[in-house]
Amino acid sequence: MRELGRHILIEMYDCDPDVLNNLETIRTEMLEAAIVSGATIVGEVFHRFTPQGVSGAVVIAESHLSIHTWPEYGYAALDLFTCGDTVDPWVAFGYLAEKLQAGRTSQTEVKRGLFPTELGQARPYKNTPAQRSDC
Amino acid sequence: MRELGRHILIEMYDCDPDVLNNLETIRTEMLEAAIVSGATIVGEVFHRFTPQGVSGAVVIAESHLSIHTWPEYGYAALDLFTCGDTVDPWVAFGYLAEKLQAGRTSQTEVKRGLFPTELGQARPYKNTPAQRSDC
């Protein structure tokens, strides 16, 4: 079996509420987390809620990084999904845990896209190369 | 213990490769999946890769829906993350499995944001209401 990607689900508790509620800070740090982990950013979307909280996603060539914050609980839910071997999602995790000043975290890594055979033997699509350019 | 959200990780195999490779179709069906599940869309981002594949995310007031497709394997990785009780992520799952013509799926539901006490007892943030307007 081989997986196409790794998906890390992260709970960050006891974060700085002011950081969690700042749209520009969250956006900047999520983009920076993508960069420091070696990812290629291809798109982004962020939104601040009323009365509080920020949600957003950074789409990368290697999948995505997402975040949802609840400042009132000092809590953020993140998931860092990467495919290929060039990006290390744990680097992004370490970066964000520090920037959000998380007091406590828990994280689970899930393998995504499991195939019973070597990927090179998978069904080709219109005779294009068998791999996405970045994975 | 009470959770803030439900996060469903979905593997869709043996999908229609042409659907998986069509940016506009994927975008349209992801937005529609959000709507049929009762979510409120607050943002979106989609990208088509060369030579193939589409990635994207729909940020909703209740968290997010994301997708990454590998047409060459007939495979799509989705995750549907919702908070609150007004949105049913399984409705979005059923809708998308049909639209992507998935031959086989596997899915795992993960509880996100577990708190040991009732949420009403959590630390308040600047005296704002204890819940996001939509969750």
Side-chain angles (χ1 to χ4, degrees):
Chain A
M1 299 290 278
R2 179 177 164 185
E3 76 271 11
L4 281 176
R6 294 187 286 170
H7 195 166
I8 305 175
L9 309 183
I10 303 159
E11 319 294 321
M12 292 195 185
Y13 297 98
D14 302 327
C15 301
D16 182 326
D18 289 328
V19 171
L20 296 187
N21 206 34
N22 189 315
L23 174 66
E24 265 314 304
T25 300
I26 293 294
R27 176 180 171 274
T28 299
E29 300 301 2
M30 289 290 286
L31 293 170
E32 189 64 23
I35 292 167
V36 299
S37 66
T40 301
I41 297 166
V42 299
E44 54 156 310
V45 56
F46 285 86
H47 179 84
R48 187 180 182 283
F49 293 96
T50 301
Q52 70 241 330
V54 174
S55 280
V58 181
V59 175
I60 55 179
E62 303 82 6
S63 293
H64 76 258
L65 315 181
S66 75
I67 188 168
H68 305 284
T69 77
W70 280 259
E72 67 272 36
Y73 301 123
Y75 167 75
L78 293 95
D79 63 283
L80 314 178
F81 183 2
T82 65
C83 62
D85 300 321
T86 60
V87 177
D88 186 348
W90 290 104
V91 173
F93 162 70
Y95 179 86
L96 289 165
E98 180 186 338
K99 295 300 181 183
L100 273 55
Q101 302 176 42
R104 179 169 61 91
T105 70
S106 70
Q107 46 279 336
T108 306
E109 181 172 324
V110 180
K111 295 183 189 304
R112 303 295 305 266
L114 290 167
F115 285 84
T117 58
E118 287 300 307
L119 291 176
Q121 299 170 23
R123 178 180 57 188
Y125 174 64
K126 292 183 177 174
N127 296 321
T128 54
Q131 289 199 335
R132 188 188 298 223
S133 58
D134 304 288
C135 292
Chain B
M1 298 290 277
R2 179 176 165 186
E3 77 271 13
L4 280 176
R6 296 187 286 171
H7 195 166
I8 306 175
L9 309 183
I10 302 159
E11 319 294 320
M12 291 195 186
Y13 297 98
D14 302 328
C15 300
D16 183 326
D18 289 328
V19 172
L20 296 186
N21 207 34
N22 188 315
L23 174 65
E24 265 315 304
T25 300
I26 293 294
R27 177 180 170 275
T28 299
E29 300 300 4
M30 288 290 286
L31 292 171
E32 189 63 24
I35 293 167
V36 299
S37 66
T40 301
I41 298 166
V42 299
E44 54 157 309
V45 56
F46 285 87
H47 179 84
R48 188 180 181 283
F49 294 96
T50 301
Q52 70 240 330
V54 174
S55 281
V58 181
V59 174
I60 55 179
E62 303 81 7
S63 294
H64 77 256
L65 315 180
S66 76
I67 188 167
H68 306 284
T69 77
W70 281 260
E72 67 272 37
Y73 301 122
Y75 167 75
L78 293 95
D79 62 283
L80 314 178
F81 183 1
T82 65
C83 62
D85 300 321
T86 60
V87 176
D88 186 349
W90 290 104
V91 173
F93 162 71
Y95 179 86
L96 289 164
E98 180 185 337
K99 295 299 180 182
L100 273 55
Q101 301 176 42
R104 179 169 60 91
T105 70
S106 71
Q107 46 279 338
T108 305
E109 182 173 325
V110 180
K111 295 183 190 302
R112 303 295 304 267
L114 289 168
F115 285 84
T117 57
E118 287 299 308
L119 292 176
Q121 298 171 22
R123 178 179 57 189
Y125 174 64
K126 292 183 177 173
N127 297 320
T128 54
Q131 290 200 334
R132 189 187 299 223
S133 58
D134 305 287
C135 291

